[in-house]
Structures are given as structure tokens and as C-alpha cells.
Amino acid sequence: GVGENLHDHGMMLTYWLAKKDKNPGTSGYIAEAGLFTSTQGVSGAAGPDLQYHFLAGMKGFPVDPDKEPNFLFCPAVCRPQSRGSVRMTAADPEAALQIQPNYLASSADVDVLVAGLELARELARAKPLADFLAGTAPFAVSAKGERMSIDWGSPSALRTFVAANLTTVWHPVGTCRMGRDQQAVVDPQLRVRGVQGLRVADASIMPVITRGNTNAACIMIGERAADLLRTS
């Protein structure tokens, strides 16, 4: 299982232009507000599979809030089903790796993000945000600086938008999966199976990604590793 099970929180940055006389201001950080919800209903039986980052326009982003007042909805799939891999390309440890994230390999992840776009539209049309909207179609910005408006015309159009504009929250995990089975890379004491004197203590040991940000979990893994080393 070395290098397998790579997964991450896929996200989109969607810009919503505001009226000149209703400037929402600028944000100093990416997550001014957040939301966890389930696209499978609100019964409470299902955990969240959709996360939002919400913020007013931010300096340094592709859309300058001083020239074009805006706010952003950034839906993210927080329980991704897609899996990728990391592999060596040569025996030389300095050689470039082959990283295949396989984002959106599972149609379930696309479905979550499409639902995220639809919910963003619902929220943007509700007060008080509706008072800020300039009335132009929301859009994403490509790496080349090109704008792609959201086409609400059909589910297939939304799926195309998702595929064209997906980015990442930079939470890759899973390639040294912890477990007791033959595909597990490390055991519950973080020891690499079949290698003496080597442990792994980072996000790569997570069998399944946390629904929220990985930072706190990584700190916990490091603290646990320190305890294991002290007592070994």
C-alpha cells in the first residue's frame, strides 16, 4: 500500500461581484466564516460531506476587491471518495515523483460540489447577501487568469464547471496508511511494516481524511509519536 490511498479536500473558489455602493470590504484571511453540511439530508444520520469557506474579497487574489468589490463562496468536498497515488519514477531518491491525485475520479465527489454550487446560489440570494449582489453571474478564475461563469442551465453544465475549476485545500493524506491489514504501511504504533527503526508521523498515516482541516489531527499524531518514542 505504499503510495496508494492518496486523497485530499477538493475545493472551488467562486467569485460573486458586489455592487459598487455595497462594497463588502476586504478579508485578511481565507476563512472568515465556514459551514459544514450534508448533501444527503439534514436528519443527522449522515455526517457532513460539504464544507464552505466564505470571505469578502481578498487582496492578492485574482479579482482585486478595490476595483471589483466581491465575496467568495468556496465549497469543498470534506469526505472525498476519490483516491490517487504517489509513486517513484526511478531508484534515485532525488528523482521527481509521479503524483496522480485522481481528483473527481468518483462521481460522488462531483455530486457534492455541484450541490455546493447550488447551495451557494441559494445563500447568495438570501438576505443580507442578496443586497450586495451586482447581478452578474458568479465565476471562477483559471490559472491563466481567464474567467469562467457558472452555467446554471443543467446539471451537466455544473459538472463541467466543477471539473474545470477544482483546486485543493492542500490537505493530502493517506499514502502511508495506518492499519493491521496487509496493505497498511504503518502499524498502530506508527512503525513502518518490514523496516526496523522507522516510524512515520504525519498526515500520510491517516486511513481516511478528517472531515475538517487536518492541522489539529497532525499535531495529535506528532504528540502521540513523541509518547510512543519515550515509552519504547
Side-chain angles (χ1 to χ4, degrees), residues 18-34:
K19 299 172 183 175
K20 295 288 185 179
D21 62 344
K22 286 279 190 177
N23 192 332
T26 59
S27 175
Y29 51 95
I30 291 178
E32 282 194 324

Side-chain angles (χ1 to χ4, degrees), residues 12-160:
M12 292 178 294
L13 276 67
T14 63
Y15 295 84
W16 304 65
L17 295 184
K19 299 172 183 175
K20 295 288 185 179
D21 62 344
K22 286 279 190 177
N23 192 332
T26 59
S27 175
Y29 51 95
I30 291 178
E32 282 194 324
L35 169 69
F36 285 91
T37 187
S38 172
T39 63
Q40 305 302 310
V42 292
S43 66
D49 56 9
L50 175 65
Q51 180 184 6
Y52 279 103
H53 298 89
F54 176 83
L55 63 151
M58 191 170 188
K59 293 184 183 295
F61 273 31
V63 182
D64 186 343
D66 290 335
K67 296 178 180 178
E68 295 180 284
N70 68 87
F71 55 87
L72 289 89
F73 276 104
C74 306
V77 55
C78 67
R79 198 63 165 176
Q81 303 303 307
S82 302
R83 295 293 185 269
S85 63
V86 177
R87 294 190 174 95
M88 295 183 69
T89 57
D92 179 4
E94 299 295 325
L97 296 172
Q98 182 186 68
I99 303 174
Q100 177 50 266
N102 272 346
Y103 295 132
L104 306 182
S106 170
S107 61
D109 294 343
V110 183
D111 292 340
V112 168
L113 292 167
V114 167
L117 292 175
E118 293 171 334
L119 180 56
R121 180 169 64 163
E122 183 179 342
L123 294 172
R125 287 177 169 179
K127 285 184 174 293
L129 287 179
D131 295 335
F132 288 87
L133 284 179
T136 54
F139 58 88
V141 180
S142 73
K144 296 180 179 179
E146 300 167 339
R147 297 186 180 187
M148 180 177 179
S149 295
I150 301 177
D151 181 354
W152 304 105
S154 68
S156 63
L158 291 176
R159 296 175 78 87
T160 297

